[in-house]
Amino acid sequence: MAIVTTPKKACAVNPLKMSQPIGGAFAFMGLRGAMPLLHGSQGCTSFGLTLFVRHFKEAVPLQTTAMSEVATVLGGYENVEKAILNIYNRAKPEIIGICSTGVTETNGDDVDGYIKLIREQHPQLAKFPLVFVSTPDFKDAFQDGWGKTVACMVEVLVEAPAVGAERDPARVNVLPGCHLTPGDLDELRTILEDFGLKPSFLPDLAGSLDGHIPDEFTPTTIGGIGVDEVAGMGRSSWTIAIGAQMRRAAEAMQAKSGVPFRLFERLCGLIPNDEFIAFLSDISGRPVPAKYRRQRGQLSDAMLDAHFHVGGRRLAIGAEPDLLFDLSSMLHEMGAQVTAAVTTTPSPVLERIGTKEVLIGDLEDLEELARTRNCDLLITHSHGRQAAARLKIPFYRAGFPMFDRIGAGHQLSVGYRGTRDVIFNIANLVIADREENHQPTPDSWRTSRRPLKPGRRSFIDATEGSIA
C-alpha cells in the first residue's frame, strides 16, 4: 500500500496539473454542437485554448465571459448574459456548457441564479440546454473538473424513464474518464459492438476531436453525442464507468434512472481486460469473439518478449491519478519498479499503486525524485521533456497536454491491442536508449574484460596469432 503525501513548499515551481475548468470544458467538447464557456477573464480561456489546439492540432471551440477587474468586483451577471446571447444567436449551438474559474468563484457569482434570470428575461432560452458546473481552478485538478462536469450532465440532461418503461437490453452507457483518448473510445466502441451491444458514450470525444475534416465549417463542436441521445440514456440496461473519477457520474445515472453500473478502474493490462471482456460476454449473452482470444494471446506474447527489457527498470511517473494508476499498475505487473510517483489531486486509487510513496506535487518534485532514486525512464506529459533531457533518461509521453508530437488523439492504451502497443513503445524506448548510450565497442570490451592469466590466449587474439 502506497503512502500518499503532500509537499510543504509554498508554490508549484514546475506545474504538473492542468486546472479544473479546463477539464470541465474538455468534457463539454464531447457533446455534439456544444460551445464550452469559461466564466472568467480572457486569459483563463486563452491559455486553456492554446493547450487544446497544440494537443489535438485542431480548431477547438471555447468562449469566455471576458470578466474585467470592474466586472469581477461588481458581479458577472451582465457578462454571462451577453456571452450566452451572443453564442446562441451567432454560433447556433445545441448546448452551452458553462464552467466557473477562480476569479468568479472567489467573488461568489451565483451562476445558477444568473441562468434562471436569463431564462425569464429571454423566452427563447427557456428550454435551451444550459449546464453550469462549479470548477474553481484554485482547488482540485483536470480530472476533477471532468468528473464533476459529466456528473452534472447526467443530472441535468438525462431524463428519468417512466414507471414500468422497458429497457433496451442491448443499449449500454459508457462514461469514460479524461485519461482516455478519442482513439481509446473508438477501440471501446468496436469491442462493445462486436458483442452486439449499442454503446452511448458520454462524453464522446471520438466524434468531435478524432482529427477528421468536416464537410462544412461550424463554430461549435463538429461531433460527439447529441443532447437527445443523452436524454435517453436512462433507458439503457447497463452503465460502464471507466476510471475512479467516473464513480460520481455513474452513481448519478443510477440515482436518476435506475440503470445499474459497473466501474472499471483501469483497462490497461491483461487481467483488467479479461474482466472487461468477461463482463461484456455476460451482459450480452454472447461468447467472446475469436479475434479477442487471438489479441489476448498477442498481448501475452508481447509481455513475455518485453519483460526482458522492462523488468527491473526504475520508473518515474507523473500523471493524473487514474492515468497514473493505469500505467503504473500495468508496468508493475511487467516487473518494473515504480520508484517515483507524482500526481495532481487526491484519489482513492492512489493507495493501491505499487510503490512506497505517491506525492501530490509538481514536475520539480518528480525530477528530484527521479534523480535521487536513479530512475531509468520518465513518463509524463510534454512539459516533462526538459526534465528527461537533464536526467538523460528515455521519456515516454502520456496524458494531457502532448504538444510536441502529432497523433496524441489517436494514442491507444485500452484493450488487449492498446496494452500491447504501450508495452512495445516503452520497451523500444528502453532498447533504443541502451543502443545509443550503452552500446559496447571494441574499446569498451578491451578495457572492461578481466586480465587473462599469463600464457592464456583470448579467442580474438588467438585468431590473430597474438598472445594476450
Side-chain angles (χ1 to χ4, degrees), residues 454-465:
R456 290 284 303 275
R457 291 172 176 243
S458 70
F459 175 77
I460 296 177
D461 292 338
T463 58
E464 296 174 352

Side-chain angles (χ1 to χ4, degrees), residues 37-40 63-68 71 75-88 96-101 104 109-119 122 125 130-132:
L37 173 64
L38 295 190
H39 180 36
Q63 290 293 337
T64 176
T65 56
M67 295 289 288
S68 64
Y77 171 77
E78 291 185 359
N79 290 60
V80 173
E81 180 185 34
K82 290 179 181 178
I84 290 175
L85 289 174
N86 284 336
I87 293 170
Y88 179 81
I96 297 175
I98 308 167
C99 295
S100 62
T101 62
T104 53
D109 277 6
D110 180 12
V111 180
D112 285 320
Y114 293 170
I115 291 175
K116 291 181 181 179
L117 289 175
I118 292 170
R119 290 188 189 278
H122 304 279
L125 298 174
L130 296 170
V131 180
F132 168 69

Side-chain angles (χ1 to χ4, degrees), residues 2 143 179 243-244 264-269 272 317-333 338 341-343 347-355 358:
Q143 79 166 41
H179 60 299
F264 292 90
E265 291 181 331
R266 65 186 185 99
L267 285 181
C268 186
I317 307 180
E320 297 280 332
D322 281 347
L323 181 59
L324 174 64
F325 179 67
D326 211 357
L327 288 177
S328 65
S329 298
M330 183 273 292
L331 292 168
H332 180 74
E333 293 162 359
V338 182
V342 178
T343 190
S347 172
V349 301
L350 297 178
E351 294 181 352
R352 289 185 279 117
I353 291 175
T355 186
V358 177

Side-chain angles (χ1 to χ4, degrees), residues 26-27 35 56 66 74 76 106 109 131 149 166 175 181 187 190-191 254 256 317 326 332 340 347 387:
F26 193 33
M35 178 61 75
F56 288 104
L74 297 180
T106 302
D109 277 6
V131 180
T149 300
E166 293 187 3
L175 305 178
T181 68
E187 181 74 3
T190 299
I191 295 173
Q254 186 177 42
K256 187 163 188 180
I317 307 180
D326 211 357
H332 180 74
S347 172

Side-chain angles (χ1 to χ4, degrees), residues 240-323:
I240 298 174
I242 305 171
Q245 64 190 282
M246 304 313 295
R247 178 179 291 277
R248 175 178 171 180
E251 291 175 345
M253 182 74 74
Q254 186 177 42
K256 187 163 188 180
S257 63
V259 179
F261 72 90
R262 172 74 183 270
L263 177 68
F264 292 90
E265 291 181 331
R266 65 186 185 99
L267 285 181
C268 186
L270 183 63
I271 294 176
N273 280 289
D274 285 348
E275 295 175 350
F276 180 62
I277 293 296
F279 174 73
L280 297 184
S281 178
D282 181 48
I283 65 174
S284 66
R286 295 192 180 190
V288 178
K291 81 175 192 179
Y292 295 109
R293 298 181 183 274
R294 183 174 180 82
Q295 287 180 11
R296 187 185 190 279
Q298 292 173 344
L299 173 56
S300 299
D301 184 69
M303 295 173 70
L304 178 64
D305 294 342
H307 91 276
F308 294 103
H309 307 283
V310 177
R313 295 284 171 176
R314 297 180 297 273
L315 309 181
I317 307 180
E320 297 280 332
D322 281 347
L323 181 59

Side-chain angles (χ1 to χ4, degrees), residues 56-285:
F56 288 104
K57 309 295 190 291
E58 306 293 336
V60 173
L62 188 61
Q63 290 293 337
T64 176
T65 56
M67 295 289 288
S68 64
E69 294 87 343
V70 174
T72 301
V73 173
L74 297 180
Y77 171 77
E78 291 185 359
N79 290 60
V80 173
E81 180 185 34
K82 290 179 181 178
I84 290 175
L85 289 174
N86 284 336
I87 293 170
Y88 179 81
N89 292 325
R90 297 181 182 181
K92 309 295 183 184
E94 296 180 32
I95 180 173
I96 297 175
I98 308 167
C99 295
S100 62
T101 62
V103 170
T104 53
E105 285 282 350
T106 302
N107 188 50
D109 277 6
D110 180 12
V111 180
D112 285 320
Y114 293 170
I115 291 175
K116 291 181 181 179
L117 289 175
I118 292 170
R119 290 188 189 278
E120 292 174 0
Q121 296 182 14
H122 304 279
Q124 70 273 30
L125 298 174
K127 295 183 179 181
F128 182 79
L130 296 170
V131 180
F132 168 69
V133 190
S134 175
T135 55
D137 46 16
F138 49 73
K139 60 177 291 188
D140 297 331
F142 188 81
Q143 79 166 41
D144 297 305
W146 172 283
K148 289 179 183 178
T149 300
V150 179
C152 197
M153 291 179 190
V154 171
E155 293 166 356
V156 175
L157 300 177
V158 175
E159 297 177 356
V163 178
E166 293 187 3
R167 301 187 183 278
D168 185 347
R171 187 171 178 183
V172 176
N173 303 325
V174 183
L175 305 178
C178 64
H179 60 299
L180 302 186
T181 68
D184 288 329
L185 302 193
D186 277 334
E187 181 74 3
L188 290 173
R189 191 189 313 276
T190 299
I191 295 173
L192 289 160
E193 290 177 347
D194 284 343
F195 280 92
L197 300 171
K198 296 181 289 186
S200 295
F201 287 80
L202 178 67
D204 187 3
L205 295 177
S208 59
L209 288 171
D210 62 340
H212 68 279
I213 299 176
D215 295 331
E216 297 180 358
F217 170 78
T218 174
T220 62
T221 53
I222 58 176
I225 185 171
V227 175
D228 53 345
E229 187 176 349
V230 176
M233 293 178 77
R235 295 189 293 273
S236 298
S237 60
W238 276 94
T239 294
I240 298 174
I242 305 171
Q245 64 190 282
M246 304 313 295
R247 178 179 291 277
R248 175 178 171 180
E251 291 175 345
M253 182 74 74
Q254 186 177 42
K256 187 163 188 180
S257 63
V259 179
F261 72 90
R262 172 74 183 270
L263 177 68
F264 292 90
E265 291 181 331
R266 65 186 185 99
L267 285 181
C268 186
L270 183 63
I271 294 176
N273 280 289
D274 285 348
E275 295 175 350
F276 180 62
I277 293 296
F279 174 73
L280 297 184
S281 178
D282 181 48
I283 65 174
S284 66

